[in-house]
Amino acid sequence: MPVSSLAYLGVGVADVPAWAGFATDVLGLEPSSRGPDGETRFRSDEHAWRLAVHRSEADDIIYAGFDVPDARALTELTGHLRTMGVSARALTSAEAAARGVMGGAAVRDPDGLAIELVHGLHNAPEPYSSPRGATFVTGSQGLGHVVLTTANVELSLKFYGALGFGVSDYIKVELAPGLTVNLVFLHCNARHHTVALLPVPMPKRLNHLMLEVASVDMVLRAYYRAQARGAPIVRHIGRHTNDHMFSFYAQTPAGFDVEYGFGARHVGPGWTVEQYSAISLWGHDASCGAPAPGGAS
């Protein structure tokens, strides 16, 4: 059985207090209890946590957890990965308890990112309450999406395909003079993409994390909160060509970006894979000095 959604994300950042302030004041995530390693955790729905912020000089993603339906599906998936030569080990009971899941397995993608395949992510005992009134689109679509850089897009496609991801579409675009790339967008549920691959070998793996909210007003409120707080706006308000997301991009204190959006279309029966030549239908203008890849959908 394939993965069904992005369950959680772990990032390592040098300035945890600054990141925590950004997460609550700009994004509207709810602080949760600290993790067993002292990491700061945040909620975006009924689950005990969705995003963990660890103290690290990496300023990058350090692990990603993907949902599988149950223990049987996990066994089938890890068995399939092993036939492909991918090493998979079961999470210990202590590791599963630390993540707040019933069980799981640990693997690595072709670029070395720690991937955790988990089932039974625990709910919090109390209802979710955003400090900024944000309602996030999660449920069967999971936390959101991530755009990851990769040194070998063919190997990455093979790996994420083995997890159950399908291609949604492609965007071929010139990111800088002489640098044209073909981004690949991958889905595992109705969300247009849960993972996108940016075929540029960069020191950092995480280009951005996307969080989707329930209204245009929520996007615009966050847009103005970011500016009031002094968070750099990497890409201003716009709408993407492929997923039709109405969004903006803010740079986090760790240097990678968060896309904050509303209204993305869904992948469904009869979906047709297309090749696009532009990232946005309109808008998403780059701020002066913004890095070129920041507008990847």
Side-chain angles (χ1 to χ4, degrees), residues 77-250:
L77 181 55
T78 53
H80 175 56
L81 290 171
R82 290 186 181 106
T83 66
M84 297 175 56
V86 177
S87 177
R89 69 166 184 85
L91 296 182
T92 66
S93 57
E95 288 172 330
R99 292 289 191 255
V101 297
M102 293 181 64
V107 299
R108 288 190 179 272
D109 80 359
D111 291 282
L113 177 63
I115 301 293
E116 297 171 1
L117 309 171
V118 298
H119 63 93
L121 185 62
H122 296 170
N123 286 351
E126 62 282 333
Y128 168 72
S129 179
S130 166
R132 293 294 179 266
T135 301
F136 294 92
V137 178
T138 57
S140 63
Q141 296 185 55
L143 170 61
H145 78 232
V146 289
V147 174
L148 303 174
T149 63
T150 177
N152 190 317
V153 70
E154 289 79 14
L155 286 180
S156 289
L157 275 172
K158 183 178 179 181
F159 172 81
Y160 286 100
L163 295 187
F165 285 90
V167 174
S168 301
D169 44 45
Y170 304 85
I171 299 180
K172 190 172 187 178
V173 65
E174 186 178 52
L175 296 180
L179 177 61
T180 298
V181 299
N182 201 22
L183 291 101
V184 189
F185 298 85
L186 306 172
H187 65 269
C188 63
N189 53 53
R191 192 182 294 282
H192 176 273
H193 57 285
T194 291
V195 171
L197 300 172
L198 176 60
V200 179
M202 298 179 72
K204 307 286 186 174
R205 289 299 312 280
L206 183 59
N207 175 267
H208 73 261
L209 162 68
M210 187 284 300
L211 300 174
E212 186 174 2
V213 289
S215 73
V216 168
D217 282 353
M218 290 180 187
V219 175
L220 294 175
R221 286 172 185 150
Y223 177 70
Y224 288 109
R225 288 198 302 267
Q227 293 179 83
R229 198 177 189 276
I233 303 299
V234 178
R235 298 276 169 173
H236 292 279
I237 293 290
R239 189 178 292 277
H240 285 302
T241 52
N242 58 347
D243 68 355
H244 296 180
M245 184 76 79
F246 173 90
S247 64
F248 74 95
Y249 293 72

Side-chain angles (χ1 to χ4, degrees), residues 267-288:
V267 173
W271 180 264
T272 300
V273 176
E274 295 189 43
Q275 174 77 63
Y276 295 89
S277 59
I279 287 174
S280 302
L281 290 166
W282 57 266
H284 286 138
D285 298 327
S287 295
C288 183

Side-chain angles (χ1 to χ4, degrees), residues 30-41:
E30 180 187 6
S32 183
S33 57
R34 286 189 178 274
D37 294 329
E39 67 270 29
T40 302
R41 288 177 167 178

